[in-house]
Amino acid sequence: DAGVIQSPRHEVTEMGQEVTLRCKPISGHDYLFWYRQTMMRGLELLIYFNNNVPIDDSGMPEDRFSAKMPNASFSTLKIQPSEPRDSAVYFCASSSRDRVYEQYFGPGTRLTVT
Amino acid sequence: AQKVTQAQTEISVVEKEDVTLDCVYETRDTTYYLFWYKQPPSGELVFLIRRNSFDEQNEISGRYSWNFQKSTSSFNFTITASQVVDSAVYFCALSEAQGAGSYQLTFGKGTKLSVIP
C-alpha cells in the first residue's frame, strides 16, 4: 500500500513568492496533519483535519499560512508571501479513525526561502 | 500543558553496545498516549510504538524495548546490540486524549543516535 505522498520533495523559492505544498494521505485515513520541523523549534503541529474539515489550526504561525482539504485524498498548505524564516521541512501525516493516535508521516517537503 | 523532554541531544555508541534513550513527559491528563518515532538520515518519520497511560507493561520487539514508568513520568527506549542502521534521530511524543477534537502529538526535541562500526 502506498504511504503518505508529498510533493514537491524540495522547493527553493525567493522571498515574497507563493509556495504550495501538497499531500495525499493514506487511502481510508480520516485524519490529516501538517507539521513543520526546524532546528530551533523541532516538530510543531500546524493544523489538522478530520473528514476534510479543519479541526485545530492554532499552530498556524500567521495569516500568510493557509491549508485546505478539498477532498479525502488531497490537501494543500500554502504560504503567501513566503519569508526566509519559513524555511523548514514540512511533513504531512495521516491516521485512521480507529487508530487516530498512530500517525503515519510522508517523506516531507524541504522548503528553502531565499 | 503537555511537554516532552529528551535530555540527551546526541549519543554515540560502538556497534553491538546497548543504548537507552530517555524520555520524560508532563501532562495533566490521566489518559494519554506515548510514542516513539525514528527519523533516519533520509528524513521520513517512522512510527515505532504507541503506549497508552493505562498500560505500564514493558514491551519488547526484537532488539527494541520500552520501559514505561508512570511514577517517574518516563518512557525510555532501549536498543540492544546496536547496529549501524539504528543511526537516526529518535523522537518521543505525547498525545493527550482530550476528547474527539484533540489528537495533537507533542514531540520532544529528539536524540541523535550515531552507531559507530
Side-chain angles (χ1 to χ4, degrees), chain A residues 8-37:
Chain A
R9 294 293 308 276
H10 302 273
E11 177 80 38
V12 180
T13 191
E14 291 183 349
M15 182 175 63
Q17 296 297 308
E18 178 180 295
V19 176
T20 299
L21 311 181
R22 297 173 176 80
C23 174
K24 177 179 169 55
I26 293 173
S27 178
H29 279 190
D30 304 283
Y31 289 82
L32 184 139
F33 305 81
W34 281 102
Y35 289 87
R36 180 172 67 176
Q37 185 178 33

PDB file of all heavy atoms in Angstrom, chain A residues 8-37:
ATOM      1  N   PRO A   8       6.186  19.112  -3.637  1.00  0.00           N
ATOM      2  CA  PRO A   8       7.441  18.522  -4.094  1.00  0.00           C
ATOM      3  C   PRO A   8       8.273  18.041  -2.911  1.00  0.00           C
ATOM      4  O   PRO A   8       7.942  18.319  -1.767  1.00  0.00           O
ATOM      5  CB  PRO A   8       8.121  19.712  -4.796  1.00  0.00           C
ATOM      6  CG  PRO A   8       7.641  20.904  -4.022  1.00  0.00           C
ATOM      7  CD  PRO A   8       6.219  20.596  -3.636  1.00  0.00           C
ATOM      8  N   ARG A   9       9.331  17.325  -3.146  1.00  0.00           N
ATOM      9  CA  ARG A   9      10.211  16.913  -2.059  1.00  0.00           C
ATOM     10  C   ARG A   9      11.129  18.051  -1.645  1.00  0.00           C
ATOM     11  O   ARG A   9      11.517  18.164  -0.485  1.00  0.00           O
ATOM     12  CB  ARG A   9      11.040  15.710  -2.496  1.00  0.00           C
ATOM     13  CG  ARG A   9      10.224  14.444  -2.735  1.00  0.00           C
ATOM     14  CD  ARG A   9       9.619  13.919  -1.442  1.00  0.00           C
ATOM     15  NE  ARG A   9      10.600  13.760  -0.389  1.00  0.00           N
ATOM     16  CZ  ARG A   9      11.377  12.709  -0.232  1.00  0.00           C
ATOM     17  NH1 ARG A   9      11.295  11.694  -1.057  1.00  0.00           N
ATOM     18  NH2 ARG A   9      12.234  12.647   0.776  1.00  0.00           N
ATOM     19  N   HIS A  10      11.481  18.875  -2.606  1.00  0.00           N
ATOM     20  CA  HIS A  10      12.326  20.039  -2.327  1.00  0.00           C
ATOM     21  C   HIS A  10      11.746  21.234  -3.074  1.00  0.00           C
ATOM     22  O   HIS A  10      11.291  21.098  -4.211  1.00  0.00           O
ATOM     23  CB  HIS A  10      13.771  19.799  -2.792  1.00  0.00           C
ATOM     24  CG  HIS A  10      14.411  18.613  -2.159  1.00  0.00           C
ATOM     25  ND1 HIS A  10      15.066  18.667  -0.958  1.00  0.00           N
ATOM     26  CD2 HIS A  10      14.481  17.315  -2.565  1.00  0.00           C
ATOM     27  CE1 HIS A  10      15.538  17.466  -0.647  1.00  0.00           C
ATOM     28  NE2 HIS A  10      15.191  16.634  -1.602  1.00  0.00           N
ATOM     29  N   GLU A  11      11.800  22.381  -2.396  1.00  0.00           N
ATOM     30  CA  GLU A  11      11.310  23.607  -3.018  1.00  0.00           C
ATOM     31  C   GLU A  11      12.222  24.750  -2.608  1.00  0.00           C
ATOM     32  O   GLU A  11      12.453  24.959  -1.421  1.00  0.00           O
ATOM     33  CB  GLU A  11       9.873  23.887  -2.563  1.00  0.00           C
ATOM     34  CG  GLU A  11       9.279  25.180  -3.086  1.00  0.00           C
ATOM     35  CD  GLU A  11       8.771  25.047  -4.503  1.00  0.00           C
ATOM     36  OE1 GLU A  11       8.212  24.001  -4.841  1.00  0.00           O
ATOM     37  OE2 GLU A  11       8.932  26.021  -5.265  1.00  0.00           O
ATOM     38  N   VAL A  12      12.730  25.437  -3.609  1.00  0.00           N
ATOM     39  CA  VAL A  12      13.533  26.627  -3.344  1.00  0.00           C
ATOM     40  C   VAL A  12      12.816  27.794  -4.005  1.00  0.00           C
ATOM     41  O   VAL A  12      12.494  27.740  -5.188  1.00  0.00           O
ATOM     42  CB  VAL A  12      14.965  26.501  -3.909  1.00  0.00           C
ATOM     43  CG1 VAL A  12      15.757  27.766  -3.599  1.00  0.00           C
ATOM     44  CG2 VAL A  12      15.662  25.282  -3.318  1.00  0.00           C
ATOM     45  N   THR A  13      12.575  28.829  -3.246  1.00  0.00           N
ATOM     46  CA  THR A  13      11.841  29.961  -3.780  1.00  0.00           C
ATOM     47  C   THR A  13      12.393  31.251  -3.198  1.00  0.00           C
ATOM     48  O   THR A  13      13.125  31.248  -2.205  1.00  0.00           O
ATOM     49  CB  THR A  13      10.343  29.837  -3.452  1.00  0.00           C
ATOM     50  OG1 THR A  13       9.603  30.814  -4.190  1.00  0.00           O
ATOM     51  CG2 THR A  13      10.081  30.045  -1.972  1.00  0.00           C
ATOM     52  N   GLU A  14      12.048  32.324  -3.830  1.00  0.00           N
ATOM     53  CA  GLU A  14      12.504  33.631  -3.352  1.00  0.00           C
ATOM     54  C   GLU A  14      11.467  34.249  -2.425  1.00  0.00           C
ATOM     55  O   GLU A  14      10.256  34.025  -2.572  1.00  0.00           O
ATOM     56  CB  GLU A  14      12.761  34.561  -4.531  1.00  0.00           C
ATOM     57  CG  GLU A  14      13.957  34.149  -5.366  1.00  0.00           C
ATOM     58  CD  GLU A  14      14.240  35.142  -6.494  1.00  0.00           C
ATOM     59  OE1 GLU A  14      13.390  36.020  -6.733  1.00  0.00           O
ATOM     60  OE2 GLU A  14      15.309  35.024  -7.112  1.00  0.00           O
ATOM     61  N   MET A  15      11.965  35.014  -1.504  1.00  0.00           N
ATOM     62  CA  MET A  15      11.097  35.720  -0.564  1.00  0.00           C
ATOM     63  C   MET A  15      10.008  36.476  -1.323  1.00  0.00           C
ATOM     64  O   MET A  15      10.277  37.115  -2.351  1.00  0.00           O
ATOM     65  CB  MET A  15      11.943  36.687   0.252  1.00  0.00           C
ATOM     66  CG  MET A  15      11.187  37.452   1.293  1.00  0.00           C
ATOM     67  SD  MET A  15      12.276  38.459   2.317  1.00  0.00           S
ATOM     68  CE  MET A  15      12.937  39.586   1.125  1.00  0.00           C
ATOM     69  N   GLY A  16       8.789  36.372  -0.819  1.00  0.00           N
ATOM     70  CA  GLY A  16       7.675  37.076  -1.437  1.00  0.00           C
ATOM     71  C   GLY A  16       6.856  36.214  -2.379  1.00  0.00           C
ATOM     72  O   GLY A  16       5.716  36.567  -2.708  1.00  0.00           O
ATOM     73  N   GLN A  17       7.409  35.088  -2.789  1.00  0.00           N
ATOM     74  CA  GLN A  17       6.696  34.214  -3.707  1.00  0.00           C
ATOM     75  C   GLN A  17       5.690  33.345  -2.952  1.00  0.00           C
ATOM     76  O   GLN A  17       5.830  33.080  -1.757  1.00  0.00           O
ATOM     77  CB  GLN A  17       7.676  33.311  -4.459  1.00  0.00           C
ATOM     78  CG  GLN A  17       8.636  34.069  -5.360  1.00  0.00           C
ATOM     79  CD  GLN A  17       7.904  34.805  -6.470  1.00  0.00           C
ATOM     80  OE1 GLN A  17       7.108  34.236  -7.200  1.00  0.00           O
ATOM     81  NE2 GLN A  17       8.158  36.093  -6.582  1.00  0.00           N
ATOM     82  N   GLU A  18       4.698  32.896  -3.690  1.00  0.00           N
ATOM     83  CA  GLU A  18       3.722  31.952  -3.125  1.00  0.00           C
ATOM     84  C   GLU A  18       4.254  30.531  -3.248  1.00  0.00           C
ATOM     85  O   GLU A  18       4.835  30.163  -4.279  1.00  0.00           O
ATOM     86  CB  GLU A  18       2.400  32.068  -3.872  1.00  0.00           C
ATOM     87  CG  GLU A  18       1.335  31.081  -3.394  1.00  0.00           C
ATOM     88  CD  GLU A  18       0.037  31.236  -4.171  1.00  0.00           C
ATOM     89  OE1 GLU A  18      -0.597  32.306  -4.064  1.00  0.00           O
ATOM     90  OE2 GLU A  18      -0.341  30.289  -4.890  1.00  0.00           O
ATOM     91  N   VAL A  19       4.059  29.755  -2.196  1.00  0.00           N
ATOM     92  CA  VAL A  19       4.506  28.357  -2.180  1.00  0.00           C
ATOM     93  C   VAL A  19       3.312  27.465  -1.849  1.00  0.00           C
ATOM     94  O   VAL A  19       2.556  27.771  -0.928  1.00  0.00           O
ATOM     95  CB  VAL A  19       5.595  28.145  -1.107  1.00  0.00           C
ATOM     96  CG1 VAL A  19       5.976  26.681  -1.018  1.00  0.00           C
ATOM     97  CG2 VAL A  19       6.816  28.990  -1.401  1.00  0.00           C
ATOM     98  N   THR A  20       3.168  26.394  -2.586  1.00  0.00           N
ATOM     99  CA  THR A  20       2.094  25.438  -2.307  1.00  0.00           C
ATOM    100  C   THR A  20       2.683  24.050  -2.132  1.00  0.00           C
ATOM    101  O   THR A  20       3.358  23.535  -3.027  1.00  0.00           O
ATOM    102  CB  THR A  20       1.053  25.415  -3.434  1.00  0.00           C
ATOM    103  OG1 THR A  20       0.467  26.707  -3.552  1.00  0.00           O
ATOM    104  CG2 THR A  20      -0.048  24.405  -3.114  1.00  0.00           C
ATOM    105  N   LEU A  21       2.425  23.474  -0.981  1.00  0.00           N
ATOM    106  CA  LEU A  21       2.868  22.115  -0.677  1.00  0.00           C
ATOM    107  C   LEU A  21       1.652  21.198  -0.749  1.00  0.00           C
ATOM    108  O   LEU A  21       0.560  21.578  -0.326  1.00  0.00           O
ATOM    109  CB  LEU A  21       3.490  22.059   0.728  1.00  0.00           C
ATOM    110  CG  LEU A  21       4.530  23.140   1.044  1.00  0.00           C
ATOM    111  CD1 LEU A  21       5.079  22.932   2.458  1.00  0.00           C
ATOM    112  CD2 LEU A  21       5.639  23.152   0.028  1.00  0.00           C
ATOM    113  N   ARG A  22       1.886  19.982  -1.243  1.00  0.00           N
ATOM    114  CA  ARG A  22       0.770  19.072  -1.488  1.00  0.00           C
ATOM    115  C   ARG A  22       0.938  17.769  -0.734  1.00  0.00           C
ATOM    116  O   ARG A  22       2.059  17.315  -0.496  1.00  0.00           O
ATOM    117  CB  ARG A  22       0.654  18.802  -2.985  1.00  0.00           C
ATOM    118  CG  ARG A  22       0.337  20.056  -3.793  1.00  0.00           C
ATOM    119  CD  ARG A  22       0.402  19.809  -5.287  1.00  0.00           C
ATOM    120  NE  ARG A  22       0.000  20.986  -6.034  1.00  0.00           N
ATOM    121  CZ  ARG A  22       0.792  22.028  -6.263  1.00  0.00           C
ATOM    122  NH1 ARG A  22       2.031  22.042  -5.813  1.00  0.00           N
ATOM    123  NH2 ARG A  22       0.348  23.068  -6.947  1.00  0.00           N
ATOM    124  N   CYS A  23      -0.203  17.186  -0.404  1.00  0.00           N
ATOM    125  CA  CYS A  23      -0.183  15.938   0.366  1.00  0.00           C
ATOM    126  C   CYS A  23      -1.336  15.042  -0.062  1.00  0.00           C
ATOM    127  O   CYS A  23      -2.485  15.493  -0.199  1.00  0.00           O
ATOM    128  CB  CYS A  23      -0.287  16.232   1.862  1.00  0.00           C
ATOM    129  SG  CYS A  23      -0.449  14.756   2.898  1.00  0.00           S
ATOM    130  N   LYS A  24      -1.004  13.772  -0.229  1.00  0.00           N
ATOM    131  CA  LYS A  24      -2.028  12.756  -0.461  1.00  0.00           C
ATOM    132  C   LYS A  24      -1.959  11.772   0.705  1.00  0.00           C
ATOM    133  O   LYS A  24      -0.960  11.066   0.858  1.00  0.00           O
ATOM    134  CB  LYS A  24      -1.780  12.029  -1.772  1.00  0.00           C
ATOM    135  CG  LYS A  24      -2.757  10.897  -2.074  1.00  0.00           C
ATOM    136  CD  LYS A  24      -2.442  10.259  -3.414  1.00  0.00           C
ATOM    137  CE  LYS A  24      -3.210   8.959  -3.631  1.00  0.00           C
ATOM    138  NZ  LYS A  24      -4.667   9.123  -3.474  1.00  0.00           N
ATOM    139  N   PRO A  25      -2.984  11.705   1.552  1.00  0.00           N
ATOM    140  CA  PRO A  25      -2.929  10.801   2.708  1.00  0.00           C
ATOM    141  C   PRO A  25      -3.112   9.352   2.284  1.00  0.00           C
ATOM    142  O   PRO A  25      -3.454   9.057   1.140  1.00  0.00           O
ATOM    143  CB  PRO A  25      -4.108  11.272   3.565  1.00  0.00           C
ATOM    144  CG  PRO A  25      -5.075  11.827   2.579  1.00  0.00           C
ATOM    145  CD  PRO A  25      -4.240  12.451   1.487  1.00  0.00           C
ATOM    146  N   ILE A  26      -2.889   8.466   3.240  1.00  0.00           N
ATOM    147  CA  ILE A  26      -3.131   7.052   3.007  1.00  0.00           C
ATOM    148  C   ILE A  26      -4.635   6.850   2.781  1.00  0.00           C
ATOM    149  O   ILE A  26      -5.462   7.410   3.518  1.00  0.00           O
ATOM    150  CB  ILE A  26      -2.632   6.218   4.189  1.00  0.00           C
ATOM    151  CG1 ILE A  26      -1.097   6.292   4.266  1.00  0.00           C
ATOM    152  CG2 ILE A  26      -3.089   4.769   4.076  1.00  0.00           C
ATOM    153  CD1 ILE A  26      -0.494   5.635   5.493  1.00  0.00           C
ATOM    154  N   SER A  27      -4.957   6.082   1.770  1.00  0.00           N
ATOM    155  CA  SER A  27      -6.355   5.847   1.431  1.00  0.00           C
ATOM    156  C   SER A  27      -7.116   5.264   2.624  1.00  0.00           C
ATOM    157  O   SER A  27      -6.651   4.319   3.263  1.00  0.00           O
ATOM    158  CB  SER A  27      -6.430   4.885   0.246  1.00  0.00           C
ATOM    159  OG  SER A  27      -7.770   4.594  -0.081  1.00  0.00           O
ATOM    160  N   GLY A  28      -8.268   5.855   2.916  1.00  0.00           N
ATOM    161  CA  GLY A  28      -9.087   5.366   4.023  1.00  0.00           C
ATOM    162  C   GLY A  28      -8.832   6.065   5.339  1.00  0.00           C
ATOM    163  O   GLY A  28      -9.581   5.893   6.304  1.00  0.00           O
ATOM    164  N   HIS A  29      -7.774   6.840   5.411  1.00  0.00           N
ATOM    165  CA  HIS A  29      -7.493   7.579   6.645  1.00  0.00           C
ATOM    166  C   HIS A  29      -8.401   8.803   6.735  1.00  0.00           C
ATOM    167  O   HIS A  29      -8.625   9.513   5.749  1.00  0.00           O
ATOM    168  CB  HIS A  29      -6.025   7.999   6.691  1.00  0.00           C
ATOM    169  CG  HIS A  29      -5.119   6.909   7.154  1.00  0.00           C
ATOM    170  ND1 HIS A  29      -3.794   7.118   7.465  1.00  0.00           N
ATOM    171  CD2 HIS A  29      -5.350   5.595   7.396  1.00  0.00           C
ATOM    172  CE1 HIS A  29      -3.255   5.977   7.875  1.00  0.00           C
ATOM    173  NE2 HIS A  29      -4.179   5.042   7.832  1.00  0.00           N
ATOM    174  N   ASP A  30      -8.880   9.051   7.977  1.00  0.00           N
ATOM    175  CA  ASP A  30      -9.823  10.140   8.181  1.00  0.00           C
ATOM    176  C   ASP A  30      -9.177  11.428   8.676  1.00  0.00           C
ATOM    177  O   ASP A  30      -9.795  12.482   8.665  1.00  0.00           O
ATOM    178  CB  ASP A  30     -10.870   9.732   9.230  1.00  0.00           C
ATOM    179  CG  ASP A  30     -11.582   8.446   8.848  1.00  0.00           C
ATOM    180  OD1 ASP A  30     -12.455   8.496   7.982  1.00  0.00           O
ATOM    181  OD2 ASP A  30     -11.223   7.391   9.424  1.00  0.00           O
ATOM    182  N   TYR A  31      -7.965  11.296   9.186  1.00  0.00           N
ATOM    183  CA  TYR A  31      -7.296  12.451   9.781  1.00  0.00           C
ATOM    184  C   TYR A  31      -6.054  12.799   8.976  1.00  0.00           C
ATOM    185  O   TYR A  31      -5.311  11.910   8.549  1.00  0.00           O
ATOM    186  CB  TYR A  31      -6.880  12.158  11.233  1.00  0.00           C
ATOM    187  CG  TYR A  31      -8.048  12.073  12.193  1.00  0.00           C
ATOM    188  CD1 TYR A  31      -8.792  10.913  12.311  1.00  0.00           C
ATOM    189  CD2 TYR A  31      -8.407  13.171  12.966  1.00  0.00           C
ATOM    190  CE1 TYR A  31      -9.869  10.841  13.178  1.00  0.00           C
ATOM    191  CE2 TYR A  31      -9.480  13.107  13.844  1.00  0.00           C
ATOM    192  CZ  TYR A  31     -10.206  11.938  13.935  1.00  0.00           C
ATOM    193  OH  TYR A  31     -11.267  11.870  14.815  1.00  0.00           O
ATOM    194  N   LEU A  32      -5.837  14.092   8.839  1.00  0.00           N
ATOM    195  CA  LEU A  32      -4.644  14.566   8.138  1.00  0.00           C
ATOM    196  C   LEU A  32      -4.029  15.698   8.946  1.00  0.00           C
ATOM    197  O   LEU A  32      -4.734  16.601   9.417  1.00  0.00           O
ATOM    198  CB  LEU A  32      -4.985  15.051   6.719  1.00  0.00           C
ATOM    199  CG  LEU A  32      -3.778  15.484   5.878  1.00  0.00           C
ATOM    200  CD1 LEU A  32      -3.939  14.998   4.439  1.00  0.00           C
ATOM    201  CD2 LEU A  32      -3.559  16.975   5.935  1.00  0.00           C
ATOM    202  N   PHE A  33      -2.713  15.627   9.101  1.00  0.00           N
ATOM    203  CA  PHE A  33      -1.980  16.577   9.941  1.00  0.00           C
ATOM    204  C   PHE A  33      -0.864  17.226   9.116  1.00  0.00           C
ATOM    205  O   PHE A  33      -0.204  16.551   8.326  1.00  0.00           O
ATOM    206  CB  PHE A  33      -1.345  15.852  11.135  1.00  0.00           C
ATOM    207  CG  PHE A  33      -2.307  15.056  11.976  1.00  0.00           C
ATOM    208  CD1 PHE A  33      -2.704  13.786  11.588  1.00  0.00           C
ATOM    209  CD2 PHE A  33      -2.800  15.565  13.168  1.00  0.00           C
ATOM    210  CE1 PHE A  33      -3.587  13.036  12.357  1.00  0.00           C
ATOM    211  CE2 PHE A  33      -3.674  14.831  13.960  1.00  0.00           C
ATOM    212  CZ  PHE A  33      -4.069  13.566  13.542  1.00  0.00           C
ATOM    213  N   TRP A  34      -0.651  18.490   9.366  1.00  0.00           N
ATOM    214  CA  TRP A  34       0.517  19.200   8.793  1.00  0.00           C
ATOM    215  C   TRP A  34       1.441  19.615   9.944  1.00  0.00           C
ATOM    216  O   TRP A  34       1.005  20.262  10.904  1.00  0.00           O
ATOM    217  CB  TRP A  34       0.096  20.444   8.021  1.00  0.00           C
ATOM    218  CG  TRP A  34      -0.436  20.195   6.650  1.00  0.00           C
ATOM    219  CD1 TRP A  34      -1.741  20.182   6.245  1.00  0.00           C
ATOM    220  CD2 TRP A  34       0.337  19.950   5.461  1.00  0.00           C
ATOM    221  NE1 TRP A  34      -1.840  19.941   4.898  1.00  0.00           N
ATOM    222  CE2 TRP A  34      -0.570  19.791   4.393  1.00  0.00           C
ATOM    223  CE3 TRP A  34       1.705  19.853   5.193  1.00  0.00           C
ATOM    224  CZ2 TRP A  34      -0.157  19.542   3.090  1.00  0.00           C
ATOM    225  CZ3 TRP A  34       2.122  19.603   3.907  1.00  0.00           C
ATOM    226  CH2 TRP A  34       1.193  19.449   2.863  1.00  0.00           C
ATOM    227  N   TYR A  35       2.722  19.236   9.820  1.00  0.00           N
ATOM    228  CA  TYR A  35       3.740  19.588  10.803  1.00  0.00           C
ATOM    229  C   TYR A  35       4.854  20.374  10.116  1.00  0.00           C
ATOM    230  O   TYR A  35       5.094  20.250   8.922  1.00  0.00           O
ATOM    231  CB  TYR A  35       4.376  18.330  11.422  1.00  0.00           C
ATOM    232  CG  TYR A  35       3.496  17.546  12.356  1.00  0.00           C
ATOM    233  CD1 TYR A  35       2.644  16.564  11.879  1.00  0.00           C
ATOM    234  CD2 TYR A  35       3.551  17.763  13.729  1.00  0.00           C
ATOM    235  CE1 TYR A  35       1.852  15.818  12.744  1.00  0.00           C
ATOM    236  CE2 TYR A  35       2.759  17.028  14.602  1.00  0.00           C
ATOM    237  CZ  TYR A  35       1.926  16.061  14.106  1.00  0.00           C
ATOM    238  OH  TYR A  35       1.145  15.326  14.963  1.00  0.00           O
ATOM    239  N   ARG A  36       5.570  21.130  10.932  1.00  0.00           N
ATOM    240  CA  ARG A  36       6.768  21.829  10.465  1.00  0.00           C
ATOM    241  C   ARG A  36       7.930  21.441  11.372  1.00  0.00           C
ATOM    242  O   ARG A  36       7.769  21.385  12.604  1.00  0.00           O
ATOM    243  CB  ARG A  36       6.554  23.346  10.503  1.00  0.00           C
ATOM    244  CG  ARG A  36       7.744  24.158  10.047  1.00  0.00           C
ATOM    245  CD  ARG A  36       7.399  25.616   9.926  1.00  0.00           C
ATOM    246  NE  ARG A  36       7.106  26.253  11.195  1.00  0.00           N
ATOM    247  CZ  ARG A  36       6.849  27.550  11.338  1.00  0.00           C
ATOM    248  NH1 ARG A  36       6.848  28.337  10.280  1.00  0.00           N
ATOM    249  NH2 ARG A  36       6.587  28.050  12.532  1.00  0.00           N
ATOM    250  N   GLN A  37       9.078  21.183  10.775  1.00  0.00           N
ATOM    251  CA  GLN A  37      10.264  20.820  11.563  1.00  0.00           C
ATOM    252  C   GLN A  37      11.387  21.804  11.285  1.00  0.00           C
ATOM    253  O   GLN A  37      11.808  21.979  10.140  1.00  0.00           O
ATOM    254  CB  GLN A  37      10.734  19.399  11.229  1.00  0.00           C
ATOM    255  CG  GLN A  37      11.892  18.939  12.104  1.00  0.00           C
ATOM    256  CD  GLN A  37      12.320  17.517  11.799  1.00  0.00           C
ATOM    257  OE1 GLN A  37      12.245  17.051  10.663  1.00  0.00           O
ATOM    258  NE2 GLN A  37      12.766  16.804  12.816  1.00  0.00           N
TER     259      GLN A  37
END
